[in-house]
Amino acid sequence: MSSMVMSRQAAANVIAPRGRFPALPDAAGYLTSRPVRRGFFWDSFDSGIAAALVGDPDTARDHFERVLREDALAPWMAEAQEKGRELHAIAADQDAVTAWVTRAVDSCRSKLGLDPGFSFPGTCANGI
């Protein structure tokens, strides 16, 4: 498979879910309605962030509390739980959560050597 074909497939895989989840509330609703799966640490973390971003702090805190109840079996889990504590504390402040997510995305893009201002067609300019 050529690199051009692979890059087109990768772009299609990124864009496809946008039809299913055209707006953040759609994605948040899906994430927060999934059954809880013990051992799927990131499910609750991602659901908490999504709920906080759409202004549902009670649901966000519930999901972050699930993250905090997990046994931190590795250093990365302890680090994620610390982020979960921080997000739990600011869950009611939608602007603060949005700023936190923006910083996290910008940091990740920087570590990957990606342009922080780049976005795929049809996405927000800040990469979220």
Side-chain angles (χ1 to χ4, degrees), residues 36-112:
V36 175
R37 301 182 300 168
R38 181 134 177 87
F40 287 80
F41 185 87
W42 294 112
D43 283 4
S44 291
F45 191 87
D46 295 341
S47 296
I49 290 174
L53 286 172
V54 298
D56 186 352
D58 293 334
T59 299
R61 286 188 184 115
D62 180 54
H63 285 280
F64 292 132
E65 287 166 9
R66 290 179 189 157
V67 169
L68 298 174
R69 285 193 299 266
E70 291 281 340
D71 292 329
L73 303 175
W76 64 264
M77 290 180 82
E79 291 172 23
Q81 285 177 325
E82 187 55 40
K83 292 175 183 176
R85 278 185 201 81
E86 182 181 348
L87 288 160
H88 186 282
I90 64 171
D93 185 344
Q94 201 171 359
D95 291 337
V97 174
T98 299
W100 188 97
V101 170
T102 300
R103 285 190 306 275
V105 169
D106 288 347
S107 173
C108 186
R109 291 184 66 80
S110 175
K111 289 173 186 172
L112 293 171

Side-chain angles (χ1 to χ4, degrees), residues 1-64:
M1 185 179 296
S2 76
S3 60
M4 183 60 78
V5 171
M6 287 174 52
S7 67
R8 286 186 179 140
Q9 181 62 46
N13 289 342
V14 167
I15 293 169
R18 292 187 188 142
R20 186 171 175 198
F21 307 112
L24 188 55
D26 300 310
Y30 169 76
L31 290 171
T32 59
S33 68
R34 294 182 301 181
V36 175
R37 301 182 300 168
R38 181 134 177 87
F40 287 80
F41 185 87
W42 294 112
D43 283 4
S44 291
F45 191 87
D46 295 341
S47 296
I49 290 174
L53 286 172
V54 298
D56 186 352
D58 293 334
T59 299
R61 286 188 184 115
D62 180 54
H63 285 280
F64 292 132

